[in-house]
PDB file of all heavy atoms in Angstrom:
ATOM      1  N   ALA A   6       0.872  -1.188   0.046  1.00 73.00           N
ATOM      2  CA  ALA A   6      -0.071   0.040   0.004  1.00 73.00           C
ATOM      3  C   ALA A   6       0.845   1.310   0.039  1.00 73.00           C
ATOM      4  O   ALA A   6       1.336   1.696   1.064  1.00 73.00           O
ATOM      5  CB  ALA A   6      -0.960  -0.099   1.277  1.00 73.00           C
ATOM      6  N   PRO A   7       1.019   1.759  -1.280  1.00 79.00           N
ATOM      7  CA  PRO A   7       1.958   2.898  -1.231  1.00 79.00           C
ATOM      8  C   PRO A   7       1.565   4.248  -0.478  1.00 79.00           C
ATOM      9  O   PRO A   7       2.295   5.049  -0.120  1.00 79.00           O
ATOM     10  CB  PRO A   7       2.158   3.152  -2.722  1.00 79.00           C
ATOM     11  CG  PRO A   7       0.866   2.558  -3.376  1.00 79.00           C
ATOM     12  CD  PRO A   7       0.651   1.470  -2.393  1.00 79.00           C
ATOM     13  N   GLY A   8       0.272   4.356  -0.310  1.00 83.00           N
ATOM     14  CA  GLY A   8      -0.264   5.496   0.412  1.00 83.00           C
ATOM     15  C   GLY A   8      -0.211   5.503   1.823  1.00 83.00           C
ATOM     16  O   GLY A   8      -0.588   6.476   2.522  1.00 83.00           O
ATOM     17  N   VAL A   9       0.294   4.346   2.479  1.00 81.00           N
ATOM     18  CA  VAL A   9       0.352   4.248   3.910  1.00 81.00           C
ATOM     19  C   VAL A   9       1.659   4.884   4.348  1.00 81.00           C
ATOM     20  O   VAL A   9       2.718   4.529   3.878  1.00 81.00           O
ATOM     21  CB  VAL A   9       0.264   2.755   4.435  1.00 81.00           C
ATOM     22  CG1 VAL A   9       0.514   2.765   5.872  1.00 81.00           C
ATOM     23  CG2 VAL A   9      -1.150   2.095   4.020  1.00 81.00           C
ATOM     24  N   PRO A  10       1.691   5.895   5.254  1.00 84.00           N
ATOM     25  CA  PRO A  10       2.807   6.533   5.698  1.00 84.00           C
ATOM     26  C   PRO A  10       3.810   5.537   6.334  1.00 84.00           C
ATOM     27  O   PRO A  10       3.395   4.534   6.899  1.00 84.00           O
ATOM     28  CB  PRO A  10       2.274   7.562   6.705  1.00 84.00           C
ATOM     29  CG  PRO A  10       0.876   7.708   6.502  1.00 84.00           C
ATOM     30  CD  PRO A  10       0.410   6.415   5.946  1.00 84.00           C
ATOM     31  N   ALA A  11       5.108   5.885   6.179  1.00 83.00           N
ATOM     32  CA  ALA A  11       6.164   4.970   6.620  1.00 83.00           C
ATOM     33  C   ALA A  11       6.105   4.836   8.209  1.00 83.00           C
ATOM     34  O   ALA A  11       6.390   3.807   8.720  1.00 83.00           O
ATOM     35  CB  ALA A  11       7.583   5.447   6.271  1.00 83.00           C
ATOM     36  N   ASP A  12       5.617   5.927   8.980  1.00 86.00           N
ATOM     37  CA  ASP A  12       5.594   5.714  10.365  1.00 86.00           C
ATOM     38  C   ASP A  12       4.503   4.817  10.899  1.00 86.00           C
ATOM     39  O   ASP A  12       4.612   4.142  11.924  1.00 86.00           O
ATOM     40  CB  ASP A  12       5.486   7.147  11.118  1.00 86.00           C
ATOM     41  CG  ASP A  12       4.274   7.922  10.602  1.00 86.00           C
ATOM     42  OD1 ASP A  12       3.672   7.598   9.573  1.00 86.00           O
ATOM     43  OD2 ASP A  12       3.787   8.794  11.353  1.00 86.00           O
ATOM     44  N   VAL A  13       3.420   4.642  10.012  1.00 82.00           N
ATOM     45  CA  VAL A  13       2.421   3.714  10.233  1.00 82.00           C
ATOM     46  C   VAL A  13       2.883   2.202  10.091  1.00 82.00           C
ATOM     47  O   VAL A  13       2.671   1.340  10.928  1.00 82.00           O
ATOM     48  CB  VAL A  13       1.150   3.929   9.523  1.00 82.00           C
ATOM     49  CG1 VAL A  13       0.105   2.837   9.482  1.00 82.00           C
ATOM     50  CG2 VAL A  13       0.505   5.299   9.720  1.00 82.00           C
ATOM     51  N   ARG A  14       3.623   2.044   8.974  1.00 81.00           N
ATOM     52  CA  ARG A  14       4.281   0.736   8.787  1.00 81.00           C
ATOM     53  C   ARG A  14       5.330   0.347   9.809  1.00 81.00           C
ATOM     54  O   ARG A  14       5.354  -0.686  10.353  1.00 81.00           O
ATOM     55  CB  ARG A  14       4.914   0.719   7.351  1.00 81.00           C
ATOM     56  CG  ARG A  14       3.833   0.740   6.338  1.00 81.00           C
ATOM     57  CD  ARG A  14       4.518   0.473   4.916  1.00 81.00           C
ATOM     58  NE  ARG A  14       5.660   1.318   4.585  1.00 81.00           N
ATOM     59  CZ  ARG A  14       5.408   2.481   3.922  1.00 81.00           C
ATOM     60  NH1 ARG A  14       4.335   2.855   3.461  1.00 81.00           N
ATOM     61  NH2 ARG A  14       6.444   3.283   3.695  1.00 81.00           N
ATOM     62  N   ASP A  15       6.047   1.384  10.279  1.00 84.00           N
ATOM     63  CA  ASP A  15       7.091   1.222  11.345  1.00 84.00           C
ATOM     64  C   ASP A  15       6.290   0.847  12.706  1.00 84.00           C
ATOM     65  O   ASP A  15       6.748  -0.019  13.414  1.00 84.00           O
ATOM     66  CB  ASP A  15       7.966   2.399  11.518  1.00 84.00           C
ATOM     67  CG  ASP A  15       8.950   2.649  10.392  1.00 84.00           C
ATOM     68  OD1 ASP A  15       9.032   1.770   9.543  1.00 84.00           O
ATOM     69  OD2 ASP A  15       9.360   3.723  10.298  1.00 84.00           O
ATOM     70  N   GLY A  16       5.151   1.455  12.995  1.00 86.00           N
ATOM     71  CA  GLY A  16       4.397   1.211  14.158  1.00 86.00           C
ATOM     72  C   GLY A  16       3.809  -0.194  14.119  1.00 86.00           C
ATOM     73  O   GLY A  16       3.841  -0.832  15.240  1.00 86.00           O
ATOM     74  N   GLN A  17       3.525  -0.610  12.857  1.00 86.00           N
ATOM     75  CA  GLN A  17       2.988  -2.048  12.850  1.00 86.00           C
ATOM     76  C   GLN A  17       4.084  -3.007  13.076  1.00 86.00           C
ATOM     77  O   GLN A  17       3.840  -3.924  13.865  1.00 86.00           O
ATOM     78  CB  GLN A  17       2.471  -2.314  11.391  1.00 86.00           C
ATOM     79  CG  GLN A  17       2.141  -3.723  11.139  1.00 86.00           C
ATOM     80  CD  GLN A  17       1.799  -4.029   9.693  1.00 86.00           C
ATOM     81  OE1 GLN A  17       0.572  -3.862   9.297  1.00 86.00           O
ATOM     82  NE2 GLN A  17       2.689  -4.494   8.899  1.00 86.00           N
ATOM     83  N   ASP A  18       5.282  -2.820  12.618  1.00 88.00           N
ATOM     84  CA  ASP A  18       6.464  -3.740  12.959  1.00 88.00           C
ATOM     85  C   ASP A  18       6.623  -3.766  14.347  1.00 88.00           C
ATOM     86  O   ASP A  18       6.936  -4.849  14.934  1.00 88.00           O
ATOM     87  CB  ASP A  18       7.730  -3.167  12.107  1.00 88.00           C
ATOM     88  CG  ASP A  18       7.575  -3.375  10.634  1.00 88.00           C
ATOM     89  OD1 ASP A  18       6.695  -4.074  10.176  1.00 88.00           O
ATOM     90  OD2 ASP A  18       8.313  -2.684   9.883  1.00 88.00           O
ATOM     91  N   LYS A  19       6.731  -2.634  15.049  1.00 91.00           N
ATOM     92  CA  LYS A  19       6.882  -2.596  16.500  1.00 91.00           C
ATOM     93  C   LYS A  19       5.748  -3.268  17.316  1.00 91.00           C
ATOM     94  O   LYS A  19       6.045  -3.944  18.175  1.00 91.00           O
ATOM     95  CB  LYS A  19       7.092  -1.099  16.978  1.00 91.00           C
ATOM     96  CG  LYS A  19       8.343  -0.526  16.491  1.00 91.00           C
ATOM     97  CD  LYS A  19       8.493   0.964  16.929  1.00 91.00           C
ATOM     98  CE  LYS A  19       9.769   1.463  16.302  1.00 91.00           C
ATOM     99  NZ  LYS A  19       9.905   2.945  16.723  1.00 91.00           N
ATOM    100  N   ALA A  20       4.496  -3.043  16.767  1.00 90.00           N
ATOM    101  CA  ALA A  20       3.435  -3.746  17.531  1.00 90.00           C
ATOM    102  C   ALA A  20       3.496  -5.194  17.370  1.00 90.00           C
ATOM    103  O   ALA A  20       3.242  -6.047  18.351  1.00 90.00           O
ATOM    104  CB  ALA A  20       2.129  -3.188  16.844  1.00 90.00           C
ATOM    105  N   LEU A  21       3.923  -5.596  16.134  1.00 91.00           N
ATOM    106  CA  LEU A  21       3.939  -7.126  15.899  1.00 91.00           C
ATOM    107  C   LEU A  21       4.969  -7.716  16.647  1.00 91.00           C
ATOM    108  O   LEU A  21       4.885  -8.879  17.208  1.00 91.00           O
ATOM    109  CB  LEU A  21       4.186  -7.374  14.371  1.00 91.00           C
ATOM    110  CG  LEU A  21       2.922  -7.193  13.544  1.00 91.00           C
ATOM    111  CD1 LEU A  21       3.373  -7.276  12.020  1.00 91.00           C
ATOM    112  CD2 LEU A  21       1.768  -8.206  13.786  1.00 91.00           C
ATOM    113  N   ALA A  22       6.095  -7.035  16.823  1.00 93.00           N
ATOM    114  CA  ALA A  22       7.291  -7.595  17.679  1.00 93.00           C
ATOM    115  C   ALA A  22       6.829  -7.664  19.045  1.00 93.00           C
ATOM    116  O   ALA A  22       7.041  -8.636  19.821  1.00 93.00           O
ATOM    117  CB  ALA A  22       8.516  -6.719  17.475  1.00 93.00           C
ATOM    118  N   PHE A  23       6.010  -6.613  19.518  1.00 94.00           N
ATOM    119  CA  PHE A  23       5.579  -6.776  20.968  1.00 94.00           C
ATOM    120  C   PHE A  23       4.571  -7.860  21.209  1.00 94.00           C
ATOM    121  O   PHE A  23       4.717  -8.676  22.177  1.00 94.00           O
ATOM    122  CB  PHE A  23       4.840  -5.417  21.377  1.00 94.00           C
ATOM    123  CG  PHE A  23       4.113  -5.407  22.624  1.00 94.00           C
ATOM    124  CD1 PHE A  23       4.872  -5.566  23.858  1.00 94.00           C
ATOM    125  CD2 PHE A  23       2.836  -5.463  22.734  1.00 94.00           C
ATOM    126  CE1 PHE A  23       4.264  -5.502  25.045  1.00 94.00           C
ATOM    127  CE2 PHE A  23       2.141  -5.467  23.874  1.00 94.00           C
ATOM    128  CZ  PHE A  23       2.874  -5.529  25.012  1.00 94.00           C
ATOM    129  N   LEU A  24       3.616  -8.059  20.144  1.00 94.00           N
ATOM    130  CA  LEU A  24       2.654  -9.159  20.321  1.00 94.00           C
ATOM    131  C   LEU A  24       3.361 -10.549  20.246  1.00 94.00           C
ATOM    132  O   LEU A  24       3.072 -11.347  21.113  1.00 94.00           O
ATOM    133  CB  LEU A  24       1.690  -9.010  19.216  1.00 94.00           C
ATOM    134  CG  LEU A  24       0.727  -7.818  19.258  1.00 94.00           C
ATOM    135  CD1 LEU A  24      -0.135  -7.842  17.972  1.00 94.00           C
ATOM    136  CD2 LEU A  24      -0.080  -7.828  20.521  1.00 94.00           C
ATOM    137  N   ASN A  25       4.337 -10.678  19.418  1.00 95.00           N
ATOM    138  CA  ASN A  25       5.043 -11.948  19.346  1.00 95.00           C
ATOM    139  C   ASN A  25       5.879 -12.191  20.653  1.00 95.00           C
ATOM    140  O   ASN A  25       5.978 -13.341  21.017  1.00 95.00           O
ATOM    141  CB  ASN A  25       6.053 -11.899  18.189  1.00 95.00           C
ATOM    142  CG  ASN A  25       5.271 -12.107  16.898  1.00 95.00           C
ATOM    143  OD1 ASN A  25       4.199 -12.729  16.814  1.00 95.00           O
ATOM    144  ND2 ASN A  25       5.743 -11.653  15.739  1.00 95.00           N
ATOM    145  N   SER A  26       6.284 -11.168  21.306  1.00 95.00           N
ATOM    146  CA  SER A  26       7.100 -11.338  22.451  1.00 95.00           C
ATOM    147  C   SER A  26       6.187 -11.944  23.704  1.00 95.00           C
ATOM    148  O   SER A  26       6.750 -12.415  24.576  1.00 95.00           O
ATOM    149  CB  SER A  26       7.770 -10.085  22.970  1.00 95.00           C
ATOM    150  OG  SER A  26       6.818  -9.170  23.586  1.00 95.00           O
ATOM    151  N   LEU A  27       4.906 -11.714  23.564  1.00 96.00           N
ATOM    152  CA  LEU A  27       4.040 -12.207  24.539  1.00 96.00           C
ATOM    153  C   LEU A  27       3.674 -13.684  24.470  1.00 96.00           C
ATOM    154  O   LEU A  27       3.245 -14.333  25.466  1.00 96.00           O
ATOM    155  CB  LEU A  27       2.704 -11.468  24.504  1.00 96.00           C
ATOM    156  CG  LEU A  27       2.819  -9.898  24.839  1.00 96.00           C
ATOM    157  CD1 LEU A  27       1.472  -9.158  24.589  1.00 96.00           C
ATOM    158  CD2 LEU A  27       3.242  -9.748  26.329  1.00 96.00           C
ATOM    159  N   LYS A  28       3.921 -14.252  23.181  1.00 96.00           N
ATOM    160  CA  LYS A  28       3.573 -15.683  23.008  1.00 96.00           C
ATOM    161  C   LYS A  28       4.386 -16.543  23.947  1.00 96.00           C
ATOM    162  O   LYS A  28       5.671 -16.255  24.104  1.00 96.00           O
ATOM    163  CB  LYS A  28       3.870 -15.989  21.564  1.00 96.00           C
ATOM    164  CG  LYS A  28       3.003 -15.345  20.533  1.00 96.00           C
ATOM    165  CD  LYS A  28       1.862 -16.295  20.295  1.00 96.00           C
ATOM    166  CE  LYS A  28       0.976 -15.667  19.187  1.00 96.00           C
ATOM    167  NZ  LYS A  28       1.099 -16.042  17.909  1.00 96.00           N
ATOM    168  N   GLY A  29       3.714 -17.555  24.579  1.00 97.00           N
ATOM    169  CA  GLY A  29       4.440 -18.483  25.428  1.00 97.00           C
ATOM    170  C   GLY A  29       4.533 -17.976  26.910  1.00 97.00           C
ATOM    171  O   GLY A  29       5.013 -18.843  27.701  1.00 97.00           O
ATOM    172  N   LYS A  30       4.234 -16.796  27.148  1.00 97.00           N
ATOM    173  CA  LYS A  30       4.348 -16.274  28.568  1.00 97.00           C
ATOM    174  C   LYS A  30       3.189 -16.847  29.357  1.00 97.00           C
ATOM    175  O   LYS A  30       2.091 -17.054  28.858  1.00 97.00           O
ATOM    176  CB  LYS A  30       4.326 -14.703  28.587  1.00 97.00           C
ATOM    177  CG  LYS A  30       5.542 -14.112  27.945  1.00 97.00           C
ATOM    178  CD  LYS A  30       5.814 -12.687  28.493  1.00 97.00           C
ATOM    179  CE  LYS A  30       6.976 -12.019  27.895  1.00 97.00           C
ATOM    180  NZ  LYS A  30       8.265 -12.810  28.235  1.00 97.00           N
ATOM    181  N   SER A  31       3.434 -16.987  30.651  1.00 97.00           N
ATOM    182  CA  SER A  31       2.345 -17.455  31.636  1.00 97.00           C
ATOM    183  C   SER A  31       1.499 -16.210  31.979  1.00 97.00           C
ATOM    184  O   SER A  31       1.852 -15.072  31.810  1.00 97.00           O
ATOM    185  CB  SER A  31       2.966 -18.061  32.745  1.00 97.00           C
ATOM    186  OG  SER A  31       3.619 -17.023  33.599  1.00 97.00           O
ATOM    187  N   GLU A  32       0.347 -16.553  32.612  1.00 96.00           N
ATOM    188  CA  GLU A  32      -0.553 -15.561  33.004  1.00 96.00           C
ATOM    189  C   GLU A  32       0.130 -14.577  34.030  1.00 96.00           C
ATOM    190  O   GLU A  32       0.014 -13.388  33.922  1.00 96.00           O
ATOM    191  CB  GLU A  32      -1.819 -16.116  33.634  1.00 96.00           C
ATOM    192  CG  GLU A  32      -2.939 -15.121  33.799  1.00 96.00           C
ATOM    193  CD  GLU A  32      -4.239 -15.681  34.044  1.00 96.00           C
ATOM    194  OE1 GLU A  32      -4.521 -16.827  33.803  1.00 96.00           O
ATOM    195  OE2 GLU A  32      -5.088 -15.000  34.880  1.00 96.00           O
ATOM    196  N   ALA A  33       0.931 -15.256  34.993  1.00 97.00           N
ATOM    197  CA  ALA A  33       1.689 -14.551  35.885  1.00 97.00           C
ATOM    198  C   ALA A  33       2.695 -13.608  35.255  1.00 97.00           C
ATOM    199  O   ALA A  33       2.840 -12.428  35.800  1.00 97.00           O
ATOM    200  CB  ALA A  33       2.272 -15.447  37.010  1.00 97.00           C
ATOM    201  N   ASP A  34       3.426 -14.075  34.341  1.00 97.00           N
ATOM    202  CA  ASP A  34       4.393 -13.321  33.541  1.00 97.00           C
ATOM    203  C   ASP A  34       3.717 -12.020  32.923  1.00 97.00           C
ATOM    204  O   ASP A  34       4.221 -10.950  33.031  1.00 97.00           O
ATOM    205  CB  ASP A  34       5.074 -14.087  32.465  1.00 97.00           C
ATOM    206  CG  ASP A  34       5.979 -15.154  33.017  1.00 97.00           C
ATOM    207  OD1 ASP A  34       6.457 -14.999  34.215  1.00 97.00           O
ATOM    208  OD2 ASP A  34       6.292 -16.107  32.285  1.00 97.00           O
ATOM    209  N   VAL A  35       2.514 -12.245  32.364  1.00 97.00           N
ATOM    210  CA  VAL A  35       1.856 -11.152  31.643  1.00 97.00           C
ATOM    211  C   VAL A  35       1.438 -10.162  32.691  1.00 97.00           C
ATOM    212  O   VAL A  35       1.612  -8.877  32.448  1.00 97.00           O
ATOM    213  CB  VAL A  35       0.605 -11.718  30.799  1.00 97.00           C
ATOM    214  CG1 VAL A  35      -0.229 -10.568  30.357  1.00 97.00           C
ATOM    215  CG2 VAL A  35       1.114 -12.582  29.648  1.00 97.00           C
ATOM    216  N   VAL A  36       0.764 -10.617  33.842  1.00 97.00           N
ATOM    217  CA  VAL A  36       0.400  -9.594  34.754  1.00 97.00           C
ATOM    218  C   VAL A  36       1.459  -8.889  35.421  1.00 97.00           C
ATOM    219  O   VAL A  36       1.449  -7.614  35.718  1.00 97.00           O
ATOM    220  CB  VAL A  36      -0.448 -10.361  35.850  1.00 97.00           C
ATOM    221  CG1 VAL A  36      -0.790  -9.421  36.986  1.00 97.00           C
ATOM    222  CG2 VAL A  36      -1.756 -10.932  35.245  1.00 97.00           C
ATOM    223  N   GLN A  37       2.677  -9.564  35.560  1.00 97.00           N
ATOM    224  CA  GLN A  37       3.901  -8.843  36.072  1.00 97.00           C
ATOM    225  C   GLN A  37       4.352  -7.839  35.106  1.00 97.00           C
ATOM    226  O   GLN A  37       4.754  -6.638  35.415  1.00 97.00           O
ATOM    227  CB  GLN A  37       4.967  -9.757  36.444  1.00 97.00           C
ATOM    228  CG  GLN A  37       6.197  -9.174  37.025  1.00 97.00           C
ATOM    229  CD  GLN A  37       7.233 -10.184  37.413  1.00 97.00           C
ATOM    230  OE1 GLN A  37       7.217 -11.339  36.915  1.00 97.00           O
ATOM    231  NE2 GLN A  37       8.228  -9.828  38.259  1.00 97.00           N
ATOM    232  N   LEU A  38       4.271  -8.070  33.816  1.00 96.00           N
ATOM    233  CA  LEU A  38       4.773  -7.307  32.822  1.00 96.00           C
ATOM    234  C   LEU A  38       3.775  -6.081  32.423  1.00 96.00           C
ATOM    235  O   LEU A  38       4.187  -4.895  32.453  1.00 96.00           O
ATOM    236  CB  LEU A  38       4.956  -8.012  31.445  1.00 96.00           C
ATOM    237  CG  LEU A  38       5.470  -7.228  30.211  1.00 96.00           C
ATOM    238  CD1 LEU A  38       6.798  -6.669  30.440  1.00 96.00           C
ATOM    239  CD2 LEU A  38       5.400  -8.030  29.017  1.00 96.00           C
ATOM    240  N   LEU A  39       2.508  -6.356  32.409  1.00 96.00           N
ATOM    241  CA  LEU A  39       1.503  -5.291  31.914  1.00 96.00           C
ATOM    242  C   LEU A  39       0.634  -4.812  33.085  1.00 96.00           C
ATOM    243  O   LEU A  39      -0.191  -3.839  32.825  1.00 96.00           O
ATOM    244  CB  LEU A  39       0.650  -5.965  31.010  1.00 96.00           C
ATOM    245  CG  LEU A  39       1.336  -6.484  29.618  1.00 96.00           C
ATOM    246  CD1 LEU A  39       0.362  -7.085  28.658  1.00 96.00           C
ATOM    247  CD2 LEU A  39       2.064  -5.357  28.966  1.00 96.00           C
ATOM    248  N   GLY A  40       0.668  -5.438  34.215  1.00 96.00           N
ATOM    249  CA  GLY A  40      -0.258  -5.054  35.305  1.00 96.00           C
ATOM    250  C   GLY A  40      -1.485  -5.808  35.241  1.00 96.00           C
ATOM    251  O   GLY A  40      -1.735  -6.627  34.395  1.00 96.00           O
ATOM    252  N   PRO A  41      -2.476  -5.447  36.150  1.00 97.00           N
ATOM    253  CA  PRO A  41      -3.725  -6.199  36.212  1.00 97.00           C
ATOM    254  C   PRO A  41      -4.547  -5.871  34.885  1.00 97.00           C
ATOM    255  O   PRO A  41      -4.546  -4.741  34.420  1.00 97.00           O
ATOM    256  CB  PRO A  41      -4.484  -5.655  37.462  1.00 97.00           C
ATOM    257  CG  PRO A  41      -3.621  -4.625  37.884  1.00 97.00           C
ATOM    258  CD  PRO A  41      -2.401  -4.518  37.270  1.00 97.00           C
ATOM    259  N   PRO A  42      -5.287  -6.822  34.359  1.00 97.00           N
ATOM    260  CA  PRO A  42      -5.953  -6.621  33.141  1.00 97.00           C
ATOM    261  C   PRO A  42      -7.347  -5.884  33.350  1.00 97.00           C
ATOM    262  O   PRO A  42      -7.785  -5.906  34.600  1.00 97.00           O
ATOM    263  CB  PRO A  42      -6.329  -8.049  32.692  1.00 97.00           C
ATOM    264  CG  PRO A  42      -6.353  -8.903  33.913  1.00 97.00           C
ATOM    265  CD  PRO A  42      -5.298  -8.209  34.792  1.00 97.00           C
ATOM    266  N   ALA A  43      -7.902  -5.204  32.491  1.00 96.00           N
ATOM    267  CA  ALA A  43      -9.149  -4.543  32.572  1.00 96.00           C
ATOM    268  C   ALA A  43     -10.274  -5.549  32.719  1.00 96.00           C
ATOM    269  O   ALA A  43     -11.159  -5.250  33.311  1.00 96.00           O
ATOM    270  CB  ALA A  43      -9.363  -3.709  31.359  1.00 96.00           C
ATOM    271  N   GLU A  44     -10.021  -6.714  32.144  1.00 97.00           N
ATOM    272  CA  GLU A  44     -11.019  -7.853  32.174  1.00 97.00           C
ATOM    273  C   GLU A  44     -10.443  -9.180  32.127  1.00 97.00           C
ATOM    274  O   GLU A  44      -9.564  -9.471  31.397  1.00 97.00           O
ATOM    275  CB  GLU A  44     -12.094  -7.611  31.001  1.00 97.00           C
ATOM    276  CG  GLU A  44     -13.233  -8.631  31.102  1.00 97.00           C
ATOM    277  CD  GLU A  44     -14.070  -8.388  29.838  1.00 97.00           C
ATOM    278  OE1 GLU A  44     -14.663  -7.207  29.683  1.00 97.00           O
ATOM    279  OE2 GLU A  44     -14.283  -9.323  28.997  1.00 97.00           O
ATOM    280  N   ARG A  45     -11.019 -10.043  33.011  1.00 97.00           N
ATOM    281  CA  ARG A  45     -10.558 -11.586  32.917  1.00 97.00           C
ATOM    282  C   ARG A  45     -11.773 -12.227  32.355  1.00 97.00           C
ATOM    283  O   ARG A  45     -12.913 -12.035  32.772  1.00 97.00           O
ATOM    284  CB  ARG A  45     -10.160 -12.015  34.253  1.00 97.00           C
ATOM    285  CG  ARG A  45      -8.863 -11.503  34.842  1.00 97.00           C
ATOM    286  CD  ARG A  45      -8.534 -12.139  36.218  1.00 97.00           C
ATOM    287  NE  ARG A  45      -7.418 -11.543  36.755  1.00 97.00           N
ATOM    288  CZ  ARG A  45      -6.160 -12.024  36.560  1.00 97.00           C
ATOM    289  NH1 ARG A  45      -5.949 -13.277  35.945  1.00 97.00           N
ATOM    290  NH2 ARG A  45      -5.184 -11.494  37.126  1.00 97.00           N
ATOM    291  N   GLY A  46     -11.564 -13.095  31.498  1.00 97.00           N
ATOM    292  CA  GLY A  46     -12.676 -13.784  30.954  1.00 97.00           C
ATOM    293  C   GLY A  46     -12.130 -15.222  30.420  1.00 97.00           C
ATOM    294  O   GLY A  46     -10.959 -15.607  30.859  1.00 97.00           O
ATOM    295  N   THR A  47     -12.976 -15.887  29.655  1.00 97.00           N
ATOM    296  CA  THR A  47     -12.598 -17.155  29.118  1.00 97.00           C
ATOM    297  C   THR A  47     -12.937 -17.249  27.596  1.00 97.00           C
ATOM    298  O   THR A  47     -13.703 -16.396  27.147  1.00 97.00           O
ATOM    299  CB  THR A  47     -13.241 -18.347  29.831  1.00 97.00           C
ATOM    300  OG1 THR A  47     -14.717 -18.187  29.677  1.00 97.00           O
ATOM    301  CG2 THR A  47     -12.912 -18.414  31.248  1.00 97.00           C
ATOM    302  N   TRP A  48     -12.318 -18.267  26.914  1.00 96.00           N
ATOM    303  CA  TRP A  48     -12.653 -18.533  25.524  1.00 96.00           C
ATOM    304  C   TRP A  48     -12.740 -20.114  25.567  1.00 96.00           C
ATOM    305  O   TRP A  48     -12.107 -20.709  26.287  1.00 96.00           O
ATOM    306  CB  TRP A  48     -11.720 -17.908  24.579  1.00 96.00           C
ATOM    307  CG  TRP A  48     -10.243 -18.465  24.646  1.00 96.00           C
ATOM    308  CD1 TRP A  48      -9.413 -18.403  25.738  1.00 96.00           C
ATOM    309  CD2 TRP A  48      -9.603 -19.132  23.584  1.00 96.00           C
ATOM    310  NE1 TRP A  48      -8.197 -18.982  25.358  1.00 96.00           N
ATOM    311  CE2 TRP A  48      -8.288 -19.448  24.159  1.00 96.00           C
ATOM    312  CE3 TRP A  48      -9.948 -19.646  22.367  1.00 96.00           C
ATOM    313  CZ2 TRP A  48      -7.411 -20.197  23.377  1.00 96.00           C
ATOM    314  CZ3 TRP A  48      -9.068 -20.298  21.659  1.00 96.00           C
ATOM    315  CH2 TRP A  48      -7.793 -20.595  21.975  1.00 96.00           C
ATOM    316  N   LYS A  49     -13.472 -20.540  24.548  1.00 95.00           N
ATOM    317  CA  LYS A  49     -13.662 -21.923  24.453  1.00 95.00           C
ATOM    318  C   LYS A  49     -12.567 -22.536  23.413  1.00 95.00           C
ATOM    319  O   LYS A  49     -12.394 -22.025  22.303  1.00 95.00           O
ATOM    320  CB  LYS A  49     -15.002 -22.328  23.762  1.00 95.00           C
ATOM    321  CG  LYS A  49     -16.065 -22.264  24.761  1.00 95.00           C
ATOM    322  CD  LYS A  49     -16.285 -23.489  25.504  1.00 95.00           C
ATOM    323  CE  LYS A  49     -17.624 -23.408  26.305  1.00 95.00           C
ATOM    324  NZ  LYS A  49     -17.537 -24.107  27.455  1.00 95.00           N
ATOM    325  N   PHE A  50     -11.867 -23.570  23.943  1.00 92.00           N
ATOM    326  CA  PHE A  50     -11.025 -24.322  22.977  1.00 92.00           C
ATOM    327  C   PHE A  50     -11.115 -25.803  23.372  1.00 92.00           C
ATOM    328  O   PHE A  50     -10.922 -26.101  24.554  1.00 92.00           O
ATOM    329  CB  PHE A  50      -9.554 -23.820  23.120  1.00 92.00           C
ATOM    330  CG  PHE A  50      -8.629 -24.451  22.272  1.00 92.00           C
ATOM    331  CD1 PHE A  50      -8.559 -24.157  20.862  1.00 92.00           C
ATOM    332  CD2 PHE A  50      -7.655 -25.343  22.654  1.00 92.00           C
ATOM    333  CE1 PHE A  50      -7.679 -24.687  20.006  1.00 92.00           C
ATOM    334  CE2 PHE A  50      -6.689 -25.970  21.912  1.00 92.00           C
ATOM    335  CZ  PHE A  50      -6.739 -25.644  20.532  1.00 92.00           C
TER     336      PHE A  50
END
């Protein structure tokens, strides 16, 4: 997408790196890193 500003693309790269860094972390690790969540819920798997 040539019309998307470079800073938006750079922001996406940083956001993806952050999201990927959370994979594999335990719930306790996440809460220690990010603090208490706004909401705790469940999902079906």
Side-chain angles (χ1 to χ4, degrees):
V9 176
D12 59 341
V13 172
R14 290 190 305 270
D15 292 344
Q17 173 186 274
D18 292 342
K19 289 177 183 175
L21 288 172
F23 171 69
L24 293 175
N25 285 332
S26 76
L27 297 172
K28 294 265 180 105
K30 292 201 180 302
S31 71
E32 191 171 335
D34 291 339
V35 169
V36 172
Q37 183 177 18
L38 179 68
L39 302 178
E44 180 181 305
R45 288 180 185 266
T47 60
W48 68 294
K49 286 272 191 212
F50 184 70

